[in-house]
Amino acid sequence: MEYDDVKSTIVELFRKAETELGEDVIKAIKKAYEIEENEIAKNQLKTILDNIDAAKKLKVPICQDTGLPIVFVELGRELCLDFDLKKAIIEGVKLATKEIPLRPNAVDPLTRENPGNNVGLHVPQINIDFVEGDKLKLTVMPKGAGSENTSALKMMLPSQVNEIPKFVVEVVKNAFGKPCPPIFVGVGIGSTFDGSAKLAKKALLRDVTVMDEYELRMLEAINDLGIGPMGLGGKTTALAVLVEKGYCHTASLPVAVNIQCWANRRASKVLG
Amino acid sequence: MKEISSPLNKDDVLKLKAGDIVYVTGEILTARDKAHIRILEFLQEGKELPFELNCRIIYHCGPLMKKEGEWVAVSAGPTTSARMNASTKKILEKIDCIGIIGKGGMDEEVVRALNGKGIYLAYTGGAGALAAKAIKRVRGVHWEDLGMAEAVWVLEVEKFGPCIVGIDAHGNSLYSEISKRVEENFKNIISKI
């Protein structure tokens, strides 16, 4: 495996994530379309499905907000790399921005200056994890701002375990139509302040069609809100609630809710 | 299904009702956070805008554009309109008739400001590829210094939609109605979980 393999894989993965959604995501949206009875809600879901088809056929980004580039790396501990992995990823993002193309979204947080290539201080966001084996797994997740902006984190009290679902539903209620519902709700429970947010984001990488009883109960409560597709009313406000847990300090209970629009874009490839 | 053309005819705008499904043909102008601030500066200082705003449609959109000799819209869905609540209210004080296309709705003050003047059309968020298909030509770009997403792009669209009239020119807002229901539902839900 060489520097250029990683760089070109990053471009390939962003192209795939931006233009084609995963089968699990499409399945969830189609199911919502079947469930909805309200004319406007059905109309919104039909437009979403037509748009998914158009993007795939025309090989153009599903949404003009091509997101902030996030990359998850799973590094096999037996793997030896004799090149700068981070640099290969960064250069891959620059090339993807030019070639696909991606909208230049990354800016300085204070001056709002835009370098035009989706690269800057801590961007792309690169998360590295060590795993068994001798392979390198790359996952890209371009994250749109409309949904990210409605996310929330709360340092709950250890005595408030039973109130977690209430907090999750409240975050979705406050988000209303802003995050482009029907949404996916990533929930990180435990860990630390920052760790819970990371868990919530990682939860969004999971197969969205598989949920346990706890997650399904929250999903049902969210859909009882009636926000509906695009906040125009309906039965499907969320398509999935995905929870990831991490051990936390006995005195704390961090809970993070990361909201993701219907276009839950991600793509992975294993190298090596 | 209804169709409206831009530049807008005010009588046509006043006829539309919240919940109607419409398609737009004609000229639309993209504007988001930074362009709204600059429009407001121009209007408040009495400076002439480089584009006509009255009887036009503002599209809350930061498009993904590509230059292939001429500019082409690659993906161009709507952005979250709520960010423009405050500036829109002030801009509307200086405008007689307007259409807005966006997503997610706008607040009660904008609903009041649109009364007798204009409509808010909801286009499906994220449907950027489909929206770009309805953009037939890029007529021009203003304020390119604001960057690709924040510049004002003058777009020629044909049967752009389906758009839902989210807020009409008579004080009706689908979002206000749904929001009230959602608040009630929320109270019931949290008493159960």
Side-chain angles (χ1 to χ4, degrees):
Chain A
M1 189 193 319
E2 296 185 16
Y3 175 90
D4 281 340
D5 297 328
V6 172
K7 187 176 159 187
S8 62
T9 300
I10 288 293
V11 178
E12 179 193 328
L13 289 177
F14 272 105
R15 192 186 302 278
K16 189 164 182 224
E18 298 283 0
T19 58
E20 285 178 49
L21 290 180
E23 276 175 31
D24 59 332
V25 173
I26 295 177
K27 196 172 152 190
I29 299 170
K30 282 188 175 159
K31 192 176 153 198
Y33 177 72
E34 296 304 322
I35 292 170
E36 284 290 358
E37 288 162 352
N38 170 318
E39 191 203 348
I40 291 176
K42 243 186 154 56
N43 176 291
Q44 295 303 304
L45 292 164
K46 175 75 169 49
T47 304
I48 288 170
L49 290 166
D50 287 348
N51 182 63
I52 293 168
D53 284 345
K56 193 175 174 182
K57 223 173 276 169
L58 300 168
K59 297 188 171 65
V60 297
I62 295 159
C63 178
Q64 76 293 335
D65 182 355
T66 50
L68 196 77
I70 301 173
V71 180
F72 293 91
V73 181
E74 282 180 27
L75 200 55
R77 65 181 185 87
E78 289 162 43
L79 189 66
C80 282
L81 296 177
D82 61 353
F83 60 86
D84 186 340
L85 179 64
K86 279 192 175 177
K87 189 166 180 240
I89 292 170
I90 291 166
E91 292 303 317
V93 167
K94 283 187 192 167
L95 192 60
T97 302
K98 209 168 123 191
E99 280 192 358
I100 298 173
L102 303 178
R103 197 176 69 181
N105 288 328
V107 301
D108 180 289
L110 296 177
T111 65
R112 312 305 289 182
E113 192 192 341
N114 191 330
N117 58 6
N118 281 318
V119 168
L121 195 61
H122 302 304
V123 175
Q125 188 190 76
I126 303 171
N127 305 279
I128 299 180
D129 216 350
F130 292 98
V131 294
E132 288 299 312
D134 60 355
K135 308 267 192 255
L136 174 75
K137 185 179 178 188
L138 294 169
T139 299
V140 306
M141 182 196 217
K143 187 71 172 70
S147 57
E148 193 76 354
N149 285 349
T150 61
S151 303
L153 193 153
K154 191 173 182 181
M155 299 305 283
M156 298 181 77
L157 299 173
S159 59
Q160 289 179 312
V161 169
N162 291 334
E163 289 181 37
I164 294 171
K166 184 178 146 187
F167 172 59
V168 175
V169 176
E170 192 172 9
V171 172
V172 175
K173 185 210 62 164
N174 293 340
F176 199 71
K178 291 196 284 286
C180 283
I183 54 173
F184 295 95
V185 185
V187 183
I189 302 178
S191 185
T192 50
F193 176 76
D194 54 317
S196 64
K198 188 60 72 189
L199 287 170
K201 181 144 275 124
K202 272 193 152 178
L204 295 168
L205 297 174
R206 270 174 44 194
D207 181 335
V208 301
T209 60
V210 183
M211 280 171 275
D212 66 19
E213 207 181 308
Y214 185 56
E215 294 163 330
L216 282 168
R217 198 156 57 87
M218 282 194 269
L219 179 64
E220 197 183 324
I222 286 169
N223 285 333
D224 283 343
L225 286 170
I227 294 169
M230 298 301 143
L232 293 164
K235 291 180 184 174
T236 46
T237 300
L239 300 168
V241 174
L242 306 159
V243 177
E244 287 293 318
K245 286 194 304 184
Y247 268 42
C248 58
H249 192 289
T250 183
S252 68
L253 176 59
V255 179
V257 182
N258 195 197
I259 306 284
Q260 168 63 50
C261 66
W262 59 262
N264 189 9
R265 297 166 288 187
R266 61 266 212 271
S268 300
K269 192 174 180 180
V270 178
L271 294 176
Chain B
M1 234 160 271
K2 297 176 178 174
E3 288 192 29
I4 54 164
S5 53
S6 168
L8 296 164
N9 174 320
K10 198 171 177 182
D11 290 339
D12 292 344
V13 171
L14 295 175
K15 275 181 208 152
L16 293 170
K17 291 192 195 80
D20 283 349
I21 297 175
V22 295
Y23 286 80
V24 177
T25 297
E27 186 180 290
I28 62 175
L29 303 155
T30 70
R32 46 190 269 165
D33 310 61
K34 286 185 187 170
H36 275 73
I37 293 167
R38 196 173 283 183
I39 288 171
L40 202 55
E41 280 168 9
F42 270 62
L43 292 176
Q44 284 171 344
E45 288 166 17
K47 269 167 50 185
E48 197 185 338
L49 286 166
F51 44 84
E52 182 57 54
L53 207 53
N54 204 31
C55 290
R56 296 302 197 277
I57 294 179
I58 286 184
Y59 181 24
H60 294 157
C61 168
L64 168 60
M65 309 295 285
K66 193 177 171 182
K67 204 165 193 174
E68 288 174 339
E70 285 182 23
W71 281 107
V72 179
V74 181
S75 193
T79 193
T80 308
S81 300
R83 292 200 316 273
M84 274 66 77
N85 279 336
S87 45
T88 298
K89 196 193 84 179
K90 288 180 195 152
I91 290 169
L92 282 170
E93 287 170 12
K94 314 258 180 192
I95 298 286
D96 176 53
C97 170
I98 207 154
I100 298 169
I101 304 175
K103 74 169 176 86
M106 300 190 79
D107 69 7
E108 289 304 314
E109 290 192 53
V110 175
V111 174
R112 277 195 291 277
L114 281 170
N115 202 349
K117 274 192 184 176
I119 43 161
Y120 174 85
L121 302 170
Y123 184 74
T124 312
L130 211 59
K133 265 176 81 178
I135 298 169
K136 298 302 165 192
R137 203 163 69 88
V138 179
R139 285 190 181 164
V141 56
H142 301 282
W143 300 343
E144 239 182 308
D145 60 298
L146 298 179
M148 183 195 288
E150 305 281 344
V152 172
W153 296 90
V154 186
L155 310 172
E156 190 180 309
V157 297
E158 201 178 295
K159 290 199 175 152
F160 184 94
C163 298
I164 313 289
V165 179
I167 304 167
D168 65 22
H170 309 285
N172 303 305
S173 162
L174 291 183
Y175 303 99
S176 314
E177 290 168 28
I178 293 158
S179 175
K180 266 180 228 150
R181 245 181 290 151
V182 168
E183 287 297 338
E184 280 167 30
N185 293 341
F186 180 65
K187 275 182 219 152
N188 292 331
I189 294 163
I190 57 164
S191 67
K192 277 187 265 171
I193 60 171

